[in-house]
């Protein structure tokens, strides 16, 4: 087996020594080419090269969710073709690692590497569905390039939080859960439309959902983790179905306290709920429109402001090692 290992040297939870140990462990089981990313988007370029290669069987992403997202977008640059494309394995090296943990992998890089090697020996893999976001035809965002996401996307409040966290990290702050909590508070205090939202969700054959403040799109469950605590916005979301959406139409102080408590106590049986919460399950295609430009995030990566985004749930898009 020939494999490409994509290494993010800035991965927050792995040291250079740990990465060397992992590389040696993987190289003992396969013909391994290890490449360290040098710039934003490099992992995507490497994934694209692997997809176009005729002799790479496996791509291993060593890094956080952002690195995984780039690799996936590179692998799928011509579209999904699970039987032809290299398989993907993920070694978690970020602060949260939602995709790897949703696949059932350990959150420790060394343990996850051992689990991946065991899976390769026994032929353990699954084909997962992914989300695809694109500019909506006939809108100002029509020319925005398509982008795949592995576990979640969001328009509005949660994407604003992600943008604030990225700004803090660019200033040298370490990515911690406390940092995220502080930015949630600051985003809430600065939210202009928390009582009357600007987002409309449209889907074929159904009445639109209007005046949403935030729309959280899930390709799997949980939505994210706070430390070791999973947080579920759409508990029924799965890699084997379409996309799920949680839409909130009110973010008053009382509503934030209520939904925050519900998130902290959420489970596979129940997520946020109430009069101003709408939950949709297993959607194949829908569009989010906003009256004003709002921040968009995918897999925890802030992608700027958008007024209209069309989402597609693509089943059986990529083979992963589990």
């Amino acid at each position: 087996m020939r494999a490409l290992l994509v290494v993010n040297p800035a991965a927050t939870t792995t040291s250079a020594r740990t990465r060397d140990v992992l590389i040696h462990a993987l190289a003992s089981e396969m013909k391994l080419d290890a490449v360290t990313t040098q710039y934003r988007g490099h992992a995507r370029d490497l994934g694209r090269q692997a997809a176009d290669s005729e002799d790479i069987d496996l791509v291993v992403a060593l890094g956080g969710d952002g690195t995984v997202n780039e690799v996936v977008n590179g692998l799928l640059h011509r579209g999904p073709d699970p039987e032809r494309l290299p398989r993907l394995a993920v070694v978690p090296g970020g602060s949260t690692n939602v995709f790897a943990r949703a696949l059932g992998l350990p959150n420790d890089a060394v343990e996850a590497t051992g689990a991946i090697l065991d899976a390769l020996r026994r032929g353990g893999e699954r084909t997962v569905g992914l989300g695809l976001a694109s500019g909506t035809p006939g809108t100002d965002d029509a020319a925005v390039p398509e982008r795949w996401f592995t576990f979640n996307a969001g328009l509005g409040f949660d994407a604003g939080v992600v943008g604030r966290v990225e700004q803090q990290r660019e200033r040298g702050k370490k990515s911690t859960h406390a940092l995220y909590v502080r930015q949630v508070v600051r985003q809430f205090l600065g939210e202009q439309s928390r009582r009357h939202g600007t987002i409309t969700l449209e889907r074929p054959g159904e009445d639109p959902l209007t005046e949403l403040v935030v729309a959280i799109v899930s390709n799997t469950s949980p939505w994210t983790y706070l430390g070791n605590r999973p947080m579920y916005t759409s508990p029924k979301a799965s890699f084997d179905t379409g996309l799920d959406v949680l839409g909130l139409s009110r973010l008053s102080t009382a509503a934030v306290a209520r939904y925050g408590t519900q998130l902290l106590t959420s489970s596979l049986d129940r997520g946020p709920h109430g009069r101003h919460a709408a939950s949709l399950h297993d959607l194949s295609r829908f569009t989010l429109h906003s009256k004003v430009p709002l921040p968009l995030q995918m897999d925890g990566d802030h992608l700027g402001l958008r007024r209209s985004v069309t989402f597609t749930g693509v089943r059986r898009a990529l083979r992963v090692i589990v």
Side-chain angles (χ1 to χ4, degrees), residues 4 6 43-59 70-81 83-87 318:
L4 171 66
V6 179
R44 180 172 183 160
D45 294 342
L46 294 169
R48 183 184 296 113
Q49 293 169 19
D52 293 340
S53 171
E54 295 182 354
D55 59 353
I56 293 180
D57 306 296
L58 174 70
V59 177
E70 285 194 16
V71 170
V72 167
N73 275 276
L75 286 171
L76 299 182
H77 75 107
R78 297 184 188 275
D81 189 353
E83 299 308 314
R84 182 190 66 82
L85 290 173
R87 294 168 294 169
L318 187 66

Side-chain angles (χ1 to χ4, degrees), residues 163-223:
R164 288 176 179 271
V165 170
E166 287 192 2
Q167 289 177 349
Q168 294 299 312
R169 294 188 65 182
E170 289 172 359
R171 295 171 185 167
K173 297 291 181 64
K174 187 176 180 180
S175 179
T176 64
H177 299 292
L179 176 63
Y180 275 88
V181 171
R182 287 197 299 271
Q183 302 317 308
V184 167
V185 174
R186 291 174 181 172
Q187 181 67 22
F188 170 72
L189 294 175
E191 183 64 52
Q192 300 295 317
S193 306
R194 58 178 181 245
R195 289 188 179 274
H196 300 287
T198 65
I199 303 170
T200 295
L201 186 152
E202 296 180 350
R203 50 188 170 137
E206 301 288 345
D207 292 335
L209 297 180
T210 61
E211 296 189 344
L212 300 177
V213 180
V214 60
I216 297 174
V217 183
S218 294
N219 184 51
T220 188
S221 191
W223 168 56

Side-chain angles (χ1 to χ4, degrees), residues 98-99 102-103 126 128-132 148-153 216-223 233-234 236-245 281-283 299 312-317:
V98 179
F99 183 61
L103 289 172
R126 65 181 291 193
V128 299
L130 298 173
L132 179 65
W148 296 89
F149 60 97
T150 63
F151 61 90
N152 76 37
I216 297 174
V217 183
S218 294
N219 184 51
T220 188
S221 191
W223 168 56
T233 55
S234 299
K236 294 191 291 184
S238 167
F239 288 127
D240 299 319
T241 62
L243 300 174
D244 284 24
V245 182
H281 175 58
D282 195 12
L283 303 185
D299 287 347
T312 305
V314 181
R315 302 186 186 219
R316 298 186 59 80

